[in-house]
Amino acid sequence: MSSIIEDLIARKVFNNRGEETIEVDIITAQGFGRASAPAGKSRGKTEVTYYPQGGVDQALKKIEELIAPELAGLNADFQEEIDSTLHEVDGTSNLKNIGGNAAFVISLANAEAAANSHGLLLFQFLGGSNANTLPCPLGNTISGGQHARGKAPDIQEYLALPHGAETFLEAATANAQIHKKIGDALKKKSTVFNGGKSDEGAWISNIGNIDAFEVIAKACEEVGNEMDFECGFGIDVAASSLWKAKEEKYAYESEGKKRDTAEQLEYLLDLIEKYHLAYVEDPFHEEDFESFAELTKKAKNCLVCGDDLFTTNNERLNQGVKLKAANAIIIKVNQIGTLTDAAETIETAQKHGYTTVMSHRSGDTCDWHIAHLAVAFKCPIIKTGIVEGARIAKINELVRIEHFLGNRAKMADLKIL
Ligand code: PGA
Ligand code: ZN
């Protein structure tokens, strides 16, 4: 059979921060798949453990000694069997024995190897013949919080979201222009701005939270007018990193201000109204499902998205669904480990009308698989930055998918907006 796994080779490589990570090759009788693992900086507390004790070296040893012999001879077409074998070998609930990133790379490389064994692209293999919808690109333009060093906005990400384009290529073009305009505006605004960028390729500038809103609002409006379609924008507050548990307040250092939960809610509702925000991610810390629900109820025409809140975890999402905590969810496969786990979470989300946002991590490689996963799993948004090599790898892969699909390709419709 063509998809039988013959070999699994793992090696140490680097992500865009220069941190060590894992890459895996899976070789089947007639195919080949390769994947490498990303890493988060502002991680959710309930993510799986990335590496066993001993880090990448130990993970490589475990892949070679424990996992590769178990997978040899299995059929890569049966993803669930591969993924459950990974869980069995690990034997813990959070993958701390083999490491979530070991599970992630093997799971992804396996899917790629299966697709390749059948002469299909990954999105076709996983999504079937009706996977023809391209996601809207949600792109980081200004970085703050834990993604910046020195003085910067407290809000972690200011994100452009063109959602009226007819093609992915046009939407990606809009994002590139918005990013450039913002760079020009920041240069005019601050004499000390020197063009510095974060790991995700977003600008880092010594400006306040509100100044950043003004800059992105203007850039999105101008580009929207020039290109003649809607360019919305939003934020990732990454509020867990602002939350001071002892004081029960969110600390906005750049403003010299602390906000309790009620004030945070009011602040965000004002911002959503004033700037017509299309998207707000992690507005409250990761255990505050109730405040998420409050915001979701009150915010008009806005995606309220859980990242650290859900960590791509089906159980946490089910809790969120019960409480009506959000209307969108970030999908980061390496938060939960395997493709099967992530697919289960996506299914729950879509069943309950949540907008699924396939996402990169701040530390990432040129691995482009999430481009295929977004199309295969019908995620209407992909969050993957605008410039910087690891981001462009994914954007360009989506351009290729669109090109490949020809006139069967269409853009996702963000109904809530
Ligand atoms: P990360 O965060 O640094 O954990 O990848 C990105 C995000 O919060 O969306
Ligand atoms: Zn986030």
Side-chain angles (χ1 to χ4, degrees):
M1 281 234 278
S2 59
S3 307
I4 297 296
I5 296 175
E6 293 190 338
D7 206 358
L8 189 163
I9 301 160
R11 64 180 69 81
K12 185 190 286 183
V13 293
F14 301 93
N15 68 21
N16 66 326
R17 284 199 275 261
E19 297 161 344
E20 295 178 352
T21 184
I22 317 180
E23 179 173 89
V24 155
D25 295 349
I26 290 188
I27 297 143
T28 64
Q30 283 177 19
F32 171 77
R34 171 176 291 160
S36 52
K41 194 170 239 172
S42 60
R43 297 179 195 173
K45 279 202 197 87
T46 51
E47 293 189 30
V48 295
T49 308
Y50 285 1
Y51 292 110
Q53 259 191 348
V56 171
D57 289 320
Q58 191 59 19
L60 290 171
K61 197 161 176 272
K62 294 204 174 189
I63 292 174
E64 194 183 327
E65 289 173 6
L66 304 177
I67 305 172
E70 291 293 325
L71 296 189
L74 295 187
N75 189 328
D77 289 351
F78 303 120
Q79 187 71 38
E80 284 182 21
E81 191 184 342
I82 302 297
D83 291 343
S84 65
T85 305
L86 291 169
H87 279 294
E88 272 162 36
V89 172
D90 178 78
T92 70
S93 60
N94 64 354
L95 291 167
K96 71 167 185 271
N97 188 13
I98 60 171
N101 271 355
F104 170 86
V105 276
I106 293 168
S107 190
L108 259 288
N110 179 75
E112 175 70 26
N116 186 250
S117 303
H118 292 278
L120 293 170
L121 297 172
L122 182 63
F123 83 91
Q124 298 175 293
F125 179 73
L126 294 175
S129 58
N130 64 357
N132 58 1
T133 306
L134 277 293
C136 298
L138 178 66
N140 199 356
T141 64
I142 301 174
S143 278
Q146 285 194 4
H147 285 185
R149 287 184 210 169
K151 293 203 162 124
D154 303 289
I155 291 171
Q156 183 177 280
E157 297 166 29
Y158 289 78
L159 300 148
L161 179 60
H163 56 88
E166 276 180 20
T167 66
F168 181 82
L169 187 58
E170 280 179 299
T173 305
N175 265 354
Q177 292 185 5
I178 290 165
H179 187 276
K180 182 171 181 314
K181 260 189 208 289
I182 289 177
D184 295 344
L186 292 173
K187 192 163 170 19
K188 277 199 202 120
K189 230 179 168 58
S190 157
T191 48
V192 292
F193 178 66
N194 62 5
K197 291 186 203 141
S198 67
D199 296 338
E200 295 188 0
W203 302 108
I204 301 184
S205 174
N206 179 8
I207 56 168
N209 298 318
I210 296 302
D211 278 344
F213 277 108
E214 295 291 336
V215 170
I216 189 173
K218 187 158 182 282
C220 287
E221 193 186 344
E222 285 175 10
V223 172
N225 288 338
E226 281 159 26
M227 296 198 67
D228 204 20
F229 55 76
E230 191 71 29
C231 291
F233 67 98
I235 49 175
D236 181 358
V237 185
S240 293
S241 51
L242 304 178
W243 179 244
K244 304 286 167 227
K246 272 201 200 124
E247 300 167 64
E248 301 202 339
K249 284 192 172 153
Y250 295 94
Y252 288 79
E253 277 178 22
S254 79
E255 296 177 17
K257 212 173 190 156
K258 289 185 179 158
R259 295 186 167 88
D260 65 21
T261 301
E263 288 165 335
Q264 175 82 345
L265 177 66
E266 202 179 319
Y267 177 61
L268 290 168
L269 281 169
D270 284 350
L271 290 172
I272 292 168
E273 198 183 309
K274 177 157 189 223
Y275 293 103
H276 306 289
L277 299 186
Y279 179 90
V280 175
E281 183 179 325
D282 282 347
F284 298 94
H285 74 83
E286 60 208 307
E287 294 307 335
D288 194 356
F289 282 78
E290 288 76 18
S291 298
F292 263 81
E294 199 68 23
L295 183 71
T296 304
K297 194 165 77 189
K298 292 186 171 152
K300 299 265 167 346
N301 302 324
C302 180
L303 292 166
V304 177
C305 185
D307 172 12
D308 295 345
L309 181 75
F310 297 133
T311 56
T312 318
N313 181 310
N314 201 33
E315 265 173 50
R316 288 184 70 88
L317 175 60
N318 274 316
Q319 192 182 343
V321 166
K322 248 188 241 146
L323 296 167
K324 298 193 165 62
N327 54 29
I329 178 175
I330 284 279
I331 303 294
K332 292 170 171 166
V333 181
N334 88 322
Q335 283 182 328
I336 190 68
T338 70
L339 204 50
T340 304
D341 294 310
E344 191 183 36
T345 305
I346 292 171
E347 198 185 321
T348 303
Q350 292 178 343
K351 192 165 93 195
H352 294 282
Y354 275 52
T355 296
T356 46
V357 181
M358 185 58 65
S359 174
H360 66 169
R361 303 302 306 246
S362 57
D364 214 312
T365 69
C366 290
D367 187 299
W368 37 253
H369 285 110
I370 63 164
H372 286 260
L373 299 185
V375 178
F377 291 120
K378 301 188 168 54
C379 298
I381 301 180
I382 188 163
K383 185 186 181 200
T384 187
I386 299 175
V387 299
E388 193 276 319
R391 325 295 147 191
I392 286 299
K394 295 147 183 77
I395 295 288
N396 285 352
E397 187 65 8
L398 281 159
V399 171
R400 289 182 203 108
I401 293 173
E402 184 170 66
H403 193 203
F404 175 88
L405 286 167
N407 56 19
R408 283 190 297 124
K410 53 180 187 159
M411 278 302 283
D413 180 8
L414 294 183
K415 290 190 189 73
I416 188 167
L417 302 180

